[in-house]
C-alpha cells in the first residue's frame, strides 16, 4: 500500500491534473484503510541547469531570472497545498519541498522516500519554458514507479495491465501488485496472441493471473489478436479503462543517436497521447 506520493510541480496544465489524480488515489486508499495514510508531497524545482553559468553567466541577468523562478516555484507550492486540501486531503497529509538544480536529479533524489511519482506527459520547470529530457531520464533511471497523467485524468475503475514475458513487464507487475496504485479497480490482464504463441507462453498468463489474485485483485484476462502496442488503445476505449500499466524497456543506443534531444515522443508518451488515460510505468 502506498504511503507517500511525490508530485513534481511544473508550470504546465499537468501539475493540477497530477495533484487531482494523487488526491483521488489517496482517498481511495483512505476508504480501504479506514483512515488517511497517504501523504502528498509537492516538489518545487528551480531548473538552474537552464541558466548560463561560468564565463557565459554575463550573457543573461542570472540573478533576476533566479529571483523570478524562485517566486514562481513558491506560487506553485502554495497552489499545490491549497488544491490538495480542497481535494479532501487533510493538511497534515500535505507536504511541500523545495530544491534547485537539474529537475530529473532533484526528482531522483526526493523520490527515494516516496512510493509513486505522478507527473504529466510534458513538463517545464521554472525558468525553463520547455523541458526535453526529464521524462526520458525518469523512464530509464527512476527506482520508483512513475504515473503519467493526461490533462483530464479519468477515475480509474478499471486498469489495463499489459503483460509479456520481458523483465520490464515483470518488474511492473511486481510494483503494481505490491503498491496497488488503484485500490478497488478491476485489472484487465492484457496479453498478445502473437507473443503468447511465438514465445510459447500459454501457461504464463494463467500464472500471472493467479499471482495477482493472491493480492486480492479482481482480474480478467484479455487476449489481444494484434501486437500489444497496436491493440491497447482499442482495448482501453472498448472497456472504458482509466489507466494502463506497462513496463518501460531499456533505451537502445541507436534510439539515443536518432533522438539525441528527446524531441520525438517515446513509445510510452505516444501511448499516453493516443489513449488519453493515465500510464503506470516501471523501468
Amino acid at each position: 500500500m502506498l504511503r507517500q506520493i511525490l508530485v513534481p510541480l511544473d508550470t504546465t496544465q499537468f501539475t493540477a491534473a497530477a495533484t487531482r489524480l494523487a488526491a483521488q488515489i489517496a482517498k481511495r486508499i483512505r476508504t480501504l484503510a479506514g483512515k488517511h495514510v497517504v501523504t502528498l508531497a509537492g516538489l518545487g524545482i528551480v531548473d538552474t541547469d537552464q541558466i548560463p553559468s561560468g564565463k557565459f553567466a554575463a550573457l543573461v541577468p542570472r540573478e533576476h531570472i533566479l529571483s523570478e523562478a524562485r517566486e514562481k516555484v513558491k506560487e506553485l507550492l502554495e497552489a499545490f497545498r491549497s488544491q490538495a486540501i480542497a481535494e479532501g486531503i487533510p493538511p497534515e497529509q500535505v507536504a511541500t519541498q523545495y530544491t534547485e538544480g537539474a529537475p530529473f536529479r532533484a526528482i531522483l533524489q526526493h523520490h527515494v522516500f516516496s512510493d509513486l511519482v505522478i507527473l504529466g506527459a510534458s513538463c517545464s520547470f521554472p525558468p525553463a519554458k520547455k523541458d526535453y529530457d526529464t521524462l526520458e531520464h525518469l523512464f530509464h533511471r527512476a527506482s520508483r514507479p512513475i504515473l503519467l497523467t493526461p490533462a483530464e485524468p479519468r477515475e480509474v475503475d478499471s486498469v489495463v495491465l499489459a503483460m509479456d514475458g520481458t523483465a520490464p513487464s515483470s518488474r511492473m507487475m511486481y510494483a503494481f501488485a505490491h503498491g496497488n496504485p488503484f485500490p478497488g479497480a478491476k485489472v484487465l490482464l492484457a496479453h498478445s496472441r502473437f507473443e503468447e504463441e511465438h514465445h510459447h507462453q500459454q501457461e504464463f498468463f494463467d500464472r500471472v493471473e493467479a499471482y495477482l489474485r493472491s493480492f486480492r485483485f479482481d482480474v480478467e484476462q484479455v487476449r489481444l489478436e494484434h501486437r500489444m502496442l497496436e491493440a491497447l488503445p482499442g482495448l482501453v476505449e472498448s472497456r472504458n479503462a482509466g489507466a494502463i500499466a506497462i513496463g518501460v524497456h531499456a533505451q537502445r543506443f541507436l534510439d539515443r543517436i536518432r533522438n539525441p534531444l528527446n524531441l520525438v515522443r517515446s513509445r510510452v508518451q505516444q501511448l499516453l497521447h493516443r489513449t488519453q488515460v493515465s500510464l503506470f510505468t516501471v523501468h
Side-chain angles (χ1 to χ4, degrees):
M1 185 181 293
L2 306 180
R3 287 294 184 272
Q4 179 159 292
I5 299 173
L6 182 67
V7 182
L9 308 177
D10 75 329
T11 56
T12 70
Q13 61 184 329
F14 295 109
T15 285
T19 304
R20 183 163 63 253
L21 182 57
Q24 290 174 1
I25 293 171
K27 287 186 288 186
R28 293 182 77 151
I29 294 174
R30 184 250 180 265
T31 300
L32 183 68
K35 60 181 180 179
H36 286 284
V37 297
V38 179
T39 296
L40 303 192
L43 178 61
I45 306 169
V46 172
D47 185 359
T48 54
D49 268 18
Q50 299 297 320
I51 306 175
S53 59
K55 63 182 180 180
F56 299 105
L59 297 176
V60 298
R62 180 179 175 85
E63 290 307 315
H64 177 70
I65 293 173
L66 276 174
S67 177
E68 287 190 338
R70 288 163 179 159
E71 189 61 31
K72 183 59 181 178
V73 169
K74 180 181 177 181
E75 293 174 5
L76 291 171
L77 290 166
E78 292 173 350
F80 168 79
R81 184 171 184 83
S82 296
Q83 182 186 351
I85 293 172
E87 296 278 358
I89 306 301
E92 62 272 17
Q93 299 295 136
V94 181
T96 56
Q97 299 163 326
Y98 173 90
T99 190
E100 298 184 2
F104 80 90
R105 290 193 183 95
I107 295 169
L108 290 179
Q109 178 183 5
H110 287 268
H111 88 328
V112 171
F113 307 102
S114 298
D115 307 293
L116 178 66
V117 180
I118 303 183
L119 69 169
S122 64
C123 48
S124 177
F125 300 94
K129 302 299 183 183
K130 181 66 176 178
D131 184 304
Y132 293 103
D133 61 3
T134 294
L135 285 177
E136 283 299 315
H137 282 298
L138 291 178
F139 287 153
H140 300 292
R141 297 173 64 178
S143 60
R144 299 292 182 271
I146 306 295
L147 181 58
L148 297 182
T149 177
E152 296 293 336
R154 301 180 190 175
E155 187 74 28
V156 184
D157 295 318
S158 61
V159 53
V160 173
L161 192 141
M163 281 295 298
D164 54 25
T166 64
S169 184
S170 172
R171 288 193 291 269
M172 178 276 294
M173 177 188 69
Y174 181 86
F176 186 93
H178 286 267
N180 191 9
F182 308 112
K186 182 181 182 66
V187 176
L188 302 173
L189 174 57
H191 53 93
S192 162
R193 177 185 62 81
F194 172 84
E195 292 169 351
E196 178 182 317
E197 294 176 352
H198 184 73
H199 298 291
H200 307 291
Q201 295 176 324
Q202 284 81 358
E203 297 181 3
F204 177 77
F205 299 105
D206 290 335
R207 297 182 66 185
V208 172
E209 178 181 350
Y211 178 81
L212 292 171
R213 287 190 180 280
S214 73
F215 289 85
R216 301 190 177 182
F217 286 104
D218 178 13
V219 184
E220 175 188 343
Q221 284 197 49
V222 180
R223 193 171 187 251
L224 304 172
E225 291 303 313
H226 302 287
R227 293 178 182 270
M228 183 74 75
L229 290 178
E230 297 172 1
L232 283 177
L235 175 60
V236 168
E237 183 66 25
S238 65
R239 300 299 293 268
N240 195 33
I244 298 172
I246 189 168
V248 176
H249 289 259
Q251 188 180 39
R252 298 190 179 107
F253 176 73
L254 285 179
D255 293 332
R256 295 198 297 271
I257 295 298
R258 296 188 188 106
N259 187 28
L261 298 178
N262 298 309
L263 298 177
V264 179
R265 288 190 182 110
S266 68
R267 296 172 75 186
V268 171
Q269 289 170 297
Q270 291 174 25
L271 186 59
L272 175 62
H273 180 72
R274 290 177 63 189
T275 61
Q276 290 300 303
V277 299
S278 303
L279 283 177
F280 177 89
T281 68
V282 177
H283 168 54

